[in-house]
Amino acid sequence: MITANPILAINRLCKDFPGVKALDNVDFFLRKGEIHALMGENGAGKSVLVKVLTGVYKRDKGKIYFEGKPFYVHSPKEAQECGISTVYQEINLVPNLSVAENIYLNRQPQIRGFIDWKATNKKAEKVLERLDLKLDVKQPLGSFSIAIQQMVAIGRALDLDAKVLILDEPTSSLNVKEVQQLFTIMRKLKSLGHSIIFITHFIDQVYEISDRITVLRNGMLVGEFLTDSIDRVELIAKLMGKKLAEFSSEQAEIEQGDENKQGIPFLEVQGLGKKGLIEPFDLRMYKREVLGLAGLLGSGRTEIANLIFGIDRADKGQILLNGKSVNISNPHDSLKFGFGLCPEDRKSEGIIEDLSIRENIILSLQVKKGCFKYIKRKIQEKLVSKYIDMLKIKTPDMEQAIKNLSGGNQQKVIVARWLASNPGLLIMDEPTRGIDVGAKAEIQKLILELSQKGMAILFISSELEEVIRCSQKVVVVRDKAKIAELTGTQINEHTIMNKIAVV
Amino acid sequence: MKKKNYSSLLWPLITLAAILVFNLIFTKGFFNIEIKNGHLFGSIIDIIKRAVPVMIIAIGMTMVIATKGIDISVGSIIAISGAIAAIIILNTGLSLFFVIFLSLAVAFLFGAFNGLLISYIGIQPVVATLILMVAGRGVAQLITNGYVLYIDHKAFEYLGIGFFLGIPFSIIITLIVYIITYAVTRTTAIGLLIQAVGGNPRASYYTGINVKSIKFFVYAFSGLCAGISGLIISSDIKGADPSFAGLWVELDAILAVVIGGTPFTGGKYYLFGSIIGSLIIQSLTTTILTRGVPVQYTLVVKAIVVFIVIIFQSAEFRQKVLRGLKRKIQ
Amino acid sequence: MKLLFKRINRKKIPLYANFIIFVLIYALGAIFYRKFLSLRVFVNLLTDNSFLGITAVGMTLVIISGGIDLSVGSMMVFTTMLIALFTEMLHLPPIVVLPAVVLIGVLFGSLMGGLIHFFNAPPFIVTLSGMFLARGLGFVISLDSIPIKHKFYYNASQFGIQLTEKIRMPIIAIIFIAVVIIGIILSHYTKFGRNTYAIGGNEQSAVLMGLPVGRIKIMIYAFSGMCSALAGIVYVLYTLSGYGLAYMGLELDSVASVVIGGTLLTGGVGYVEGTLVGVLIQGLIYNFITFQGNLNVWWAKIVIGLLLLFFILMQRTFSTRTAAN
């Protein structure tokens, strides 16, 4: 795999976080003048790799060579000075200062100790000219579009003599035209001999611009491929991973039958959508049914979940519950209607760190009952120990602060929170993300059990295997829109991946 | 849970005990309690009585800080509620009930105004309450027309200087406020929801909690507490002083809450800790006074105490120093 | 027209509003009272508000960086007490005293900045305790007002620039204007100033861009401490005494001046020149009320509170609108 003279070579890099192997012997090679796509789903280790490379995190093991010499930096600043610059998705510039200042902050040309504004502005214009960009550099950065801001960030990196440029999800918030603008600049940089690491989850864009692709999955290297020699379906298969040997016998038990899918659906979504977030979509969900949402990261999976649950407010369409239109404008409403949502970002949207396991579990039920009808301590304890047993939450006792649990157990607590509120519909957004294999299998099993008990479940996962195994119906999303609905025998890897891959 | 509660009260209790032991040794007659005319007197009683205004405000402030907020307008609200009471007593013949009811209602409304700015308009708590802190004293002076008003009203005086079963009535009021607050927050889920909102507002919203109304409620409640405190203060001094009533008290209240173990970062609160905190501040002040040191030294001492608390509460300090210590021990 | 509106930087709207309000109040004053427009009234406006203004310049930089400094008033008063102590009790010459008190101001500010940076403590709480500490230390020196009889201070206070035959710009107004000019230069023409804006705009970005954020933060609070010390010197020249109970609540007037001056409380945007106008607006409101005669001074507090509310709400609307765009 090792090619001659890579400008950047990463060998067997390891990084552990408590409970997770974020990087496990990852190799990565970047050649001079190439655009190299770095891909992977949530938790694959892309951003950890970048952060270790640029000195945000300390590596545990492994070697990095930059221009043939061992490379070890302690901060992004040091990496910048050595010639490796990163442009992040959330622009890491300052919106309130002018374009010119953003390029030259703390490096402004000076006359007798005072900033020479004329020279600063002129130099900034020149840098941007190299990118064929003409701007009024005196305007505040925040008054320009995200695309322009990104290009300014690239300009800053160029002026810092970046040999390697890392673009972290640069296209996520750009429109088609802006993406083309960015690509023009990337090609130009390539022709000037700069090397680019392009982190993205857009398959089309990878094929359009990159020379090579490296795929990571769960902290491990899946492989490095020449873009021309791997086809879309194969790439998607690599991204989604296919092996989960520990748990595969359950599939047979799912009833694929349609006998309970007659009449009025439990939940019907008609043309629900929000501009800029997700195109209007329809969904029909029945009780005792698991509906899977398949799609790549950033395809609109989470947006669908958040819109139904009222985290974001839809500007189009309506939701029918048992045939009746309901008005949901915030999570409080959806809780009252018997919905539940295990959110994608467990840490910031799910757990309340300082509260105990017991308190975290009863929270939703308590809110549903109203805050004056405090659940009696004994009933709380009974309920909580029931769920601790049922979900096999590993903890010495229920009064432990939830922050002391492992990721998988925290996830189970969040699931327990919603189960306790006895929802008719449970939305699970990546419930198995970042947890170990055993816990994953348990959660999948639980999903099946719950649906058999009569719950409707909307299941979102990056693991295609999981979606296929658990769902009776699969909705495929791509580019912020629903593109297909699959049932019965259509639910297989081949079909789903083709749906995602087709341009 | 119970074990944990005790351990967080441990430091405040030890501090309080240390101050008391110091006095036991160095101050003569510190623990003497006399009964004169059937009323209790003595240094200890005096400390508790003097701590009353801060204790009541600290109860409201505890709730505010638990939601990651702050309320620096309480001093001004004290001045306003005192002024309202004075003006009603002096100009109308309304009964004491109405005097109290109206003053507290106004205090509550001012608190609600803070809550409105913070929860529904989204202004940072420091800034929102700063507005009332600046303008509130002006409002109080407007009500009294700029004068210090003297109140001669026996029933009203009872609030601040009366005795009930030998115990100063203001202490009884504090006890009632404490018990009601404790009962309301712990026998309903309000306490839990306040902690959830302070701990992680975003996750709380995802859980279905009405984050805005919880925040609104705590500021309104803090206003109400300041109102009660204001009535006791003006009853105690038999008058309403729009410029100086409750001056600096917000600082004492914040200090009391933080010494009591409630973190600035919200998410947890210790109501009893705040009471202990208030008592620590007052006994410290009294001790300094009885040692013959000018009262103003207390400011320096308080400041140093807060600096120490800030350092001990910071995650950076715990990580670097405490972990280092643990390693050494191991 | 729309294009024109777009051209105007939305974030500057509070700044423009502040100029307009200043002109309006002045015009109103001029209509009602003839003397309002006189040069003497204007010079007095600068003089009477000089110490408030000097602290507000430091406060402006602190707020631009996204922080707040509630210790400015106490620090100013502490400085007056220090000068009194050094001069009247220790009999030190001004050449030693003045640099010493400025240095103490800088150290005091750095200490708070250090606590804020190293322990990640909220600026509000740290500077609140700084406020206690400085007031308390002032009281420790003396509870009473100490007259400062050293000739230097009297002579200095009499110094001024003759503007017309009768009107003189006294030294304290000159110091005030000098500090404002230094503040403007610092904020617009130095790396330190621009880095301050960057930290207020997005601290995380500032770190990623490689700015020495910790050092800058400490310098910002040190600068504010220095301004407070200078304000203390000016206050001594104004009253020729040191008094620990002087000017309670200065910190709030100072914050109000900065906000009315168009600086965003969320940090990142602000103007020292706006703060100057903010200080003068407050001064005008007091003037107005004194000229009026019937109104009481507490109206000033209420009007300032309402202005503060008005400006904060205005900031809020414009910042959310820009975010929505």
Side-chain angles (χ1 to χ4, degrees):
Chain A
M1 193 81 90
I2 299 167
T3 332
N5 302 326
I7 184 165
L8 182 73
I10 295 175
N11 282 324
R12 309 192 74 73
L13 198 63
C14 292
K15 175 75 196 172
D16 281 10
F17 289 118
V20 199
K21 274 201 171 237
L23 289 177
D24 189 359
N25 287 309
V26 170
D27 293 331
F28 182 80
F29 300 98
L30 182 69
R31 291 139 198 96
K32 196 167 158 54
E34 80 169 354
I35 297 177
H36 194 135
L38 181 60
M39 301 192 75
E41 288 289 277
N42 274 333
K46 298 164 297 188
S47 52
V48 182
L49 180 70
V50 170
K51 282 181 176 160
V52 172
L53 175 62
T54 56
V56 179
Y57 296 146
K58 243 172 119 176
R59 72 184 85 145
D60 292 340
K61 252 193 274 171
K63 290 202 171 88
I64 302 177
Y65 297 95
F66 179 54
E67 296 184 302
K69 283 176 225 129
F71 179 77
Y72 203 101
V73 292
H74 301 88
S75 70
K77 189 187 173 205
E78 218 181 304
Q80 242 172 48
E81 282 158 3
C82 295
I84 299 183
S85 280
T86 315
V87 174
Y88 295 91
Q89 175 188 5
E90 316 87 30
I91 312 290
N92 63 324
L93 296 180
V94 207
N96 52 318
L97 296 185
S98 76
V99 170
E101 284 194 275
N102 267 292
I103 297 178
Y104 286 106
L105 198 58
N106 215 20
R107 305 182 294 128
Q108 295 99 331
Q110 289 179 315
I111 307 177
R112 276 179 251 113
F114 295 107
I115 292 171
D116 182 351
W117 281 97
K118 267 193 182 164
T120 307
N121 291 337
K122 223 178 209 155
K123 277 180 82 176
E125 274 168 12
K126 270 200 179 143
V127 171
L128 293 178
E129 259 169 40
R130 278 167 71 189
L131 299 174
D132 297 321
L133 211 58
K134 269 213 143 133
L135 300 178
D136 180 356
V137 294
K138 287 179 224 154
Q139 290 294 316
L141 183 80
S143 64
F144 294 99
S145 69
I146 299 284
I148 299 286
Q149 294 188 29
Q150 224 143 32
M151 290 168 203
V152 172
I154 294 175
R156 178 180 162 89
L158 274 191
D159 197 72
L160 286 163
D161 284 323
K163 291 172 191 124
V164 171
L165 196 59
I166 304 168
L167 303 178
D168 189 355
E169 303 268 13
T171 56
S172 309
S173 28
L174 306 190
N175 64 31
V176 184
K177 211 177 129 196
E178 290 168 336
V179 169
Q180 286 313 316
Q181 234 176 326
L182 179 69
F183 282 178
T184 315
I185 286 177
M186 284 168 70
R187 288 194 189 100
K188 176 142 192 175
L189 291 175
K190 184 181 158 182
S191 70
L192 293 171
H194 298 273
S195 313
I196 297 175
I197 300 176
F198 177 42
I199 301 175
T200 187
H201 49 259
F202 293 106
I203 306 273
D204 298 350
Q205 293 174 4
V206 168
Y207 278 98
E208 186 177 345
I209 190 95
S210 73
D211 304 305
R212 274 195 181 76
I213 305 168
T214 291
V215 177
L216 301 182
R217 179 159 188 84
N218 295 334
M220 280 183 284
L221 178 71
V222 176
E224 191 201 70
F225 314 95
L226 276 170
T227 310
D228 295 336
S229 66
I230 181 169
D231 71 21
R232 276 162 196 272
V233 178
E234 206 182 330
L235 177 60
I236 291 167
K238 301 274 183 214
L239 282 170
M240 295 202 140
K242 287 166 149 194
K243 276 164 206 157
L244 194 68
E246 290 80 359
F247 181 70
S248 58
S249 58
E250 218 66 33
Q251 193 163 7
E253 293 169 23
I254 303 176
E255 335 153 19
Q256 298 282 3
D258 263 340
E259 80 274 14
N260 59 345
K261 309 292 152 60
Q262 307 294 321
I264 303 169
F266 170 65
L267 180 89
E268 185 167 7
V269 176
Q270 294 178 341
L272 205 65
K274 181 171 179 162
K275 215 178 157 205
L277 210 64
I278 183 113
E279 296 292 311
F281 62 91
D282 294 338
L283 283 181
R284 290 159 79 88
M285 293 190 66
Y286 294 88
K287 293 225 162 203
R288 311 171 125 266
E289 183 185 62
V290 179
L291 176 70
L293 268 185
L296 293 173
L297 179 66
S299 58
R301 305 179 308 205
T302 300
E303 286 79 353
I304 287 183
N306 286 357
L307 218 51
I308 294 176
F309 196 63
I311 304 277
D312 297 306
R313 233 173 146 164
D315 53 15
K316 273 191 217 85
Q318 60 170 346
I319 295 174
L320 304 178
L321 188 65
N322 290 319
K324 272 180 231 140
S325 173
V326 290
N327 189 9
I328 291 175
S329 56
N330 56 47
H332 190 74
D333 294 343
S334 25
L335 176 72
K336 295 271 180 195
F337 287 122
F339 297 178
L341 169 74
C342 302
E344 182 189 20
D345 188 342
R346 186 169 55 230
K347 202 169 155 53
S348 78
E349 295 160 354
I351 63 168
I352 293 163
E353 280 195 344
D354 289 326
L355 294 188
S356 68
I357 295 169
R358 174 180 55 83
E359 289 164 322
N360 266 290
I361 288 180
I362 65 151
L363 210 48
S364 281
L365 177 63
Q366 183 66 64
V367 176
K368 197 174 183 178
K369 287 199 159 185
C371 66
F372 292 106
K373 290 181 191 150
Y374 193 43
I375 304 163
K376 285 210 179 75
R377 188 61 182 260
K378 274 208 170 137
I379 299 174
Q380 285 186 25
E381 283 169 3
K382 228 168 130 188
L383 205 70
V384 171
S385 46
K386 180 178 126 192
Y387 287 109
I388 288 181
D389 291 345
M390 181 176 150
L391 301 178
K392 302 194 184 72
I393 297 171
K394 284 187 200 89
T395 170
D397 67 301
M398 63 176 79
E399 301 302 337
Q400 279 285 323
I402 193 171
K403 63 182 168 194
N404 297 335
L405 298 188
S406 71
N409 282 308
Q410 287 181 358
Q411 186 66 52
K412 288 179 186 169
V413 170
I414 303 300
V415 174
R417 172 191 293 170
W418 288 107
L419 292 185
S421 80
N422 195 19
L425 164 73
L426 185 60
I427 304 170
M428 301 179 99
D429 192 353
E430 295 249 38
T432 59
R433 173 178 161 194
I435 63 181
D436 64 59
V437 177
K440 273 183 190 182
E442 281 171 28
I443 286 186
Q444 292 170 16
K445 213 168 177 174
L446 179 74
I447 288 171
L448 294 176
E449 280 169 17
L450 290 173
S451 80
Q452 273 153 24
K453 279 184 192 152
M455 213 176 271
I457 292 174
L458 183 63
F459 177 48
I460 302 173
S461 173
S462 292
E463 314 257 353
L464 198 48
E465 285 272 336
E466 236 175 45
V467 176
I468 292 169
R469 188 175 310 115
C470 297
S471 329
Q472 283 99 334
K473 194 157 53 177
V474 173
V475 163
V476 184
V477 279
R478 196 187 69 199
D479 297 338
K480 313 277 178 204
K482 173 183 168 185
I483 53 163
E485 193 167 312
L486 311 172
T487 48
T489 51
Q490 288 174 306
I491 303 179
N492 59 57
E493 281 174 12
H494 184 74
T495 320
I496 295 176
M497 281 194 282
N498 270 315
K499 291 279 180 202
I500 294 175
V502 167
V503 186
Chain B
M1 176 89 171
K2 275 182 183 156
K3 223 191 229 166
K4 220 180 153 194
N5 254 342
Y6 284 132
S7 76
S8 26
L9 281 178
L10 192 65
W11 282 108
L13 281 171
I14 288 177
T15 315
L16 184 60
I19 298 170
L20 295 181
V21 167
F22 177 87
N23 280 301
L24 180 67
I25 300 169
F26 293 102
T27 312
K28 266 186 195 166
F30 189 79
F31 282 86
N32 289 357
I33 293 176
E34 294 174 52
I35 299 175
K36 287 182 197 160
N37 307 331
H39 302 332
L40 295 176
F41 283 100
S43 298
I44 295 283
I45 301 289
D46 193 52
I47 287 175
I48 301 174
K49 190 166 177 290
R50 278 172 196 273
V52 160
V54 172
M55 279 198 273
I56 294 177
I57 290 174
I59 290 171
M61 189 71 80
T62 308
M63 297 300 145
V64 169
I65 292 182
T67 63
K68 243 184 211 167
I70 197 100
D71 183 356
I72 56 173
S73 70
V74 284
S76 294
I77 295 181
I78 283 178
I80 292 172
S81 79
I84 298 258
I87 213 81
I88 295 173
I89 291 173
L90 293 177
N91 294 331
T92 68
L94 287 175
S95 72
L96 187 63
F97 171 78
F98 278 103
V99 173
I100 294 173
F101 177 79
L102 287 174
S103 326
L104 294 187
V106 170
F108 183 82
L109 283 180
F110 274 104
F113 172 74
N114 285 333
L116 184 79
L117 290 181
I118 292 158
S119 64
Y120 293 99
I121 300 181
I123 299 174
Q124 318 87 297
V126 179
V127 178
T129 54
L130 178 72
I131 297 172
L132 193 53
M133 187 185 189
V134 175
R137 292 220 173 260
V139 172
Q141 279 169 323
L142 194 67
I143 295 167
T144 68
N145 212 16
Y147 300 112
V148 176
L149 299 179
Y150 293 94
I151 306 170
D152 187 20
H153 189 288
K154 279 280 167 283
F156 185 68
E157 276 168 22
Y158 189 73
L159 291 179
I161 54 178
F163 285 85
F164 182 77
L165 297 178
I167 302 167
F169 189 60
S170 58
I171 296 178
I172 307 235
I173 296 175
T174 313
L175 205 63
I176 293 169
V177 173
Y178 175 78
I179 290 171
I180 290 176
T181 311
Y182 186 86
V184 168
T185 52
R186 293 299 181 192
T187 61
T188 72
I190 291 174
L192 175 63
L193 299 192
I194 286 174
Q195 296 191 53
V197 167
N200 188 343
R202 193 173 157 84
S204 300
Y205 178 68
Y206 270 69
T207 309
I209 297 173
N210 197 334
V211 177
K212 283 180 181 171
S213 44
I214 296 273
K215 282 194 178 170
F216 178 80
F217 162 80
V218 294
Y219 287 95
F221 177 67
S222 174
L224 181 67
C225 287
I228 297 171
S229 189
L231 288 183
I232 292 175
I233 289 175
S234 54
S235 157
D236 196 22
I237 62 171
K238 297 185 190 174
D241 182 347
S243 327
F244 287 98
L247 195 67
W248 304 105
V249 79
E250 49 274 347
L251 312 177
D252 280 356
I254 293 166
L255 187 53
V257 173
V258 175
I259 292 177
T262 303
F264 288 125
T265 43
K268 267 186 277 186
Y269 70 87
Y270 303 101
L271 207 51
F272 189 62
S274 302
I275 297 289
I276 302 287
S278 315
L279 290 175
I280 289 175
I281 294 172
Q282 189 54 50
S283 51
L284 204 63
T285 312
T286 305
T287 306
I288 291 172
L289 274 176
T290 50
R291 307 301 317 153
V293 183
V295 63
Q296 277 72 11
Y297 272 79
T298 49
L299 274 179
V300 179
V301 176
K302 281 179 196 171
I304 291 168
V305 171
V306 190
F307 278 133
I308 294 169
V309 173
I310 289 169
I311 292 173
F312 270 87
Q313 274 203 3
S314 82
E316 281 74 11
F317 176 81
R318 287 181 186 189
Q319 267 172 13
K320 280 177 200 156
V321 181
L322 296 186
R323 222 181 253 174
L325 279 179
K326 264 187 198 166
R327 236 175 254 159
K328 265 187 191 169
I329 292 165
Q330 282 166 1
Chain C
M1 187 64 200
K2 250 189 183 171
L3 210 95
L4 186 81
F5 192 64
K6 252 190 184 170
R7 269 270 166 242
I8 299 173
N9 188 345
R10 281 172 159 278
K11 283 182 181 150
K12 278 195 176 165
I13 288 174
L15 180 66
Y16 301 141
N18 133 63
F19 277 106
I20 293 168
I21 285 175
F22 177 68
V23 172
L24 274 180
I25 297 179
Y26 225 126
L28 218 62
I31 292 168
F32 285 116
Y33 316 104
R34 259 204 202 148
K35 278 187 184 164
F36 221 83
L37 217 49
S38 71
L39 183 62
R40 184 186 297 280
V41 170
F42 186 74
V43 169
N44 286 345
L45 192 61
L46 284 177
T47 313
D48 297 341
N49 295 292
S50 52
F51 34 90
L52 169 64
I54 293 170
T55 62
V57 171
M59 183 75 83
T60 309
L61 282 180
V62 172
I63 292 183
I64 287 173
S65 80
I68 196 155
D69 185 353
L70 297 180
S71 73
V72 291
S74 305
M75 192 56 216
M76 177 184 95
V77 168
F78 178 46
T79 305
T80 68
M81 296 307 286
L82 274 179
I83 295 175
L85 172 77
F86 289 162
T87 313
E88 295 302 316
M89 299 180 194
L90 304 178
H91 304 290
L92 294 173
I95 187 121
V96 178
V97 173
L98 297 182
V101 293
V102 172
L103 186 70
I104 290 172
V106 169
L107 286 178
F108 191 78
S110 321
L111 172 78
M112 293 191 300
L115 275 174
I116 291 165
H117 172 65
F118 291 113
F119 296 105
N120 209 4
F124 169 68
I125 297 291
V126 172
T127 57
L128 190 69
S129 0
M131 170 178 171
F132 271 103
L133 189 62
R135 277 274 175 198
L137 289 173
F139 290 143
V140 168
I141 294 172
S142 169
L143 282 174
D144 305 314
S145 172
I146 307 174
I148 295 170
K149 296 181 194 113
H150 194 285
K151 263 190 199 156
F152 170 84
Y153 298 96
Y154 177 77
N155 291 340
S157 71
Q158 294 307 305
F159 179 80
I161 297 174
Q162 212 72 33
L163 294 176
T164 65
E165 258 176 64
K166 283 183 178 172
I167 299 166
R168 206 158 54 147
M169 172 95 86
I171 178 113
I172 49 183
I174 298 168
I175 297 178
F176 174 28
I177 290 170
V179 171
V180 169
I181 291 171
I182 291 171
I184 292 173
I185 292 174
L186 215 52
S187 62
H188 284 289
Y189 295 100
T190 65
K191 286 183 183 175
F192 164 67
R194 303 320 291 172
N195 289 343
T196 303
Y197 280 86
I199 291 176
N202 189 337
E203 190 171 332
Q204 223 186 337
S205 290
V207 173
L208 285 173
M209 285 169 96
L211 304 188
V213 171
R215 204 175 70 212
I216 299 165
K217 266 193 179 172
I218 293 171
M219 280 169 73
I220 292 165
Y221 286 91
F223 177 71
S224 180
M226 188 187 81
C227 284
S228 307
L230 281 177
I233 293 173
V234 166
Y235 198 81
V236 165
L237 295 180
Y238 190 68
T239 62
L240 290 179
S241 66
Y243 184 34
L245 272 165
Y247 211 149
M248 297 284 222
L250 175 92
E251 40 285 321
L252 303 172
D253 286 352
S254 185
V255 172
S257 308
V258 174
V259 173
I260 293 171
T263 298
L264 294 192
L265 268 164
T266 41
V269 179
Y271 317 90
V272 175
E273 52 271 42
T275 300
L276 170 64
V277 180
V279 171
L280 296 182
I281 287 179
Q282 288 202 53
L284 275 184
I285 292 170
Y286 278 108
N287 264 10
F288 212 104
I289 282 155
T290 348
F291 268 75
Q292 209 277 342
N294 292 330
L295 284 176
N296 275 308
V297 188
W298 60 81
W299 271 107
K301 287 271 175 224
I302 296 174
V303 173
I304 290 166
L306 288 176
L307 261 182
L308 195 58
L309 179 62
F310 170 73
F311 273 90
I312 288 169
L313 288 178
M314 188 163 62
Q315 288 183 5
R316 188 77 210 153
T317 12
F318 285 112
S319 61
T320 43
R321 277 206 198 144
T322 24
N325 284 352

